[in-house]
Amino acid sequence: MAGPTTDALAWVVIGLFLSGALLRRRESDHARTATVAAWAVFAVFWAALVPHFAFVQRSFVEGFLSLVAVPASLYVGWLLYDGRDSLFVLSKAIAVMGVVYLPFETIPALTVAGLALPSPRHVLIAHTTAQTQWAMELLGYNPTLVEGDQGYLNTFKFVTDGGHTILFSIILACTGLGSIAIFVGLIAAVEAPLSRKLRALAIAVPIIYVLNIARTTFIGLMFGKQYMQWFVDEVLFLFGGTDPYKVSFYLSDRVISQVLAVVALVGVTYLVVRELPELVTIVEDVLYVITREEYDLREALDLPDPNEVGPGAD
């Protein structure tokens, strides 16, 4: 997230999506209006994030996706307004995603009755940092753990052979929370037996968790040990950077990890859909928004009928 303004805007978006979902559940005539409004504000939210991802984070993947999300959100809102009711399921999924993610992004540390409570962000970052440190040590690396600019022990300190210090910090985006929130939202949004929803979560969450620790370990070591100092001038030009020591970071994180993350999400989605075929509706809607063509993925992927997927299907 880029800051307080986008944090506040995100809560507005999720509030509208939640309102639409509740009104839909009560069969209110205002459900469509609230949900269409949510998609319109969602477009504004993504537009506000484009400069942050493109110019501050210098992420081609995130910058491009946030830019594409602006017209895509407006298009989804228009389709919903025009009567594509299946998009209410995707809208509900986004509401749940926000409820899972935003507390970690926005709730600060608190003191209650003299007891200091760390922020949810701090707890999650500390856990991810500890697991990344364990993985690095397992591979034979022992960088020093130091306090980062957020006041947490979340930064790995490497020193190159030439004596240059490199700092690699674990932040909220490094925890895998975003991907986990996506699948929690998708799984919660569809109508299916609780037993199969829990099995779908049991597939998605551990895979994302393990892959995320592998990702932070990979980026940390590639950057900290300067293992990817390839095409230095060209990479700096492409990312608008000036620090040659960050080339390994740009390549390992902004290119390799982010592309592989998209591939991994597609793979996890396939595994989850095998357990929870009801999710096909959402995937088909997303594909329709992208291509403007209708798809029958249940037949194409040879998915089982939802009523025949093991115990708890009734």
Side-chain angles (χ1 to χ4, degrees):
M1 307 290 279
T5 300
T6 47
D7 284 355
L9 192 56
W11 278 114
V12 172
V13 170
I14 297 308
L16 286 170
F17 275 122
L18 285 173
S19 298
L22 292 174
L23 290 169
R24 175 74 173 174
R25 188 177 185 85
R26 296 177 182 179
E27 300 182 352
S28 170
D29 294 336
H30 300 296
R32 192 178 306 276
T33 302
T35 309
V36 169
W39 282 104
V41 180
F42 204 29
V44 176
F45 167 77
W46 285 115
L49 283 179
V50 171
H52 173 73
F53 285 131
F55 304 117
V56 178
Q57 294 291 334
R58 293 192 177 95
S59 169
F60 291 146
V61 174
E62 291 174 320
F64 174 75
L65 291 177
S66 58
L67 181 62
V68 170
V70 177
S73 297
L74 293 173
Y75 184 51
V76 171
W78 182 84
L79 289 173
L80 189 60
Y81 175 79
D82 199 44
R84 192 177 179 93
D85 287 358
S86 59
L87 287 167
F88 276 114
V89 182
L90 176 59
S91 303
K92 180 182 176 182
I94 293 177
V96 177
M97 294 175 200
V99 170
V100 172
Y101 185 88
L102 286 181
F104 290 90
E105 173 65 36
T106 60
I107 296 178
L110 301 171
T111 300
V112 179
L115 178 64
L117 300 176
S119 65
R121 173 203 296 259
H122 185 180
V123 173
L124 191 55
I125 288 175
H127 175 76
T128 304
T129 301
Q131 294 302 305
T132 302
Q133 182 180 31
W134 172 83
M136 287 182 178
E137 291 176 350
L138 188 66
L139 294 172
Y141 297 89
N142 294 279
T144 304
L145 190 61
V146 299
E147 187 176 286
D149 56 11
Q150 297 180 3
Y152 310 153
L153 279 175
N154 67 327
T155 300
F156 295 97
K157 179 181 177 181
F158 295 84
V159 180
T160 67
D161 293 338
H164 185 81
T165 297
I166 293 176
L167 300 177
F168 171 66
S169 297
I170 300 295
I171 59 176
L172 188 62
C174 302
T175 63
L177 176 64
S179 298
I180 290 173
I182 288 173
F183 282 96
V184 171
L186 294 174
I187 292 167
V190 299
E191 295 295 332
L194 179 61
S195 59
R196 285 201 286 112
K197 287 188 175 187
L198 291 176
R199 290 203 298 270
L201 281 173
I203 292 171
V205 174
I207 292 176
I208 293 171
Y209 177 84
V210 171
L211 289 179
N212 184 68
I213 297 302
R215 179 178 71 96
T216 56
T217 304
F218 168 72
I219 296 170
L221 293 178
M222 293 303 104
F223 177 37
K225 302 300 290 184
Q226 297 285 279
Y227 286 148
M228 289 187 169
Q229 291 302 102
W230 308 329
F231 307 105
V232 173
D233 293 336
E234 292 81 358
V235 171
L236 288 176
F237 173 77
L238 286 174
F239 286 90
T242 57
D243 184 356
Y245 289 98
K246 293 198 71 174
V247 167
S248 289
F249 175 77
Y250 291 141
L251 291 177
S252 62
D253 179 44
R254 300 294 191 248
V255 179
I256 297 174
S257 292
Q258 291 188 3
V259 171
L260 289 179
V262 174
V263 175
L265 285 177
V266 172
V268 174
T269 300
Y270 175 75
L271 294 176
V272 171
V273 166
R274 298 294 303 181
E275 182 62 47
L276 202 62
E278 290 86 351
L279 282 175
V280 164
T281 298
I282 298 178
V283 179
E284 289 173 344
D285 276 336
V286 171
L287 289 175
Y288 179 80
V289 170
I290 296 172
T291 66
R292 299 190 183 184
E293 294 184 11
E294 298 287 0
Y295 292 86
D296 185 355
L297 292 182
R298 184 165 293 158
E299 181 177 346
L301 298 176
D302 192 26
L303 296 176
D305 187 287
N307 294 320
E308 298 176 357
V309 187
D314 295 330

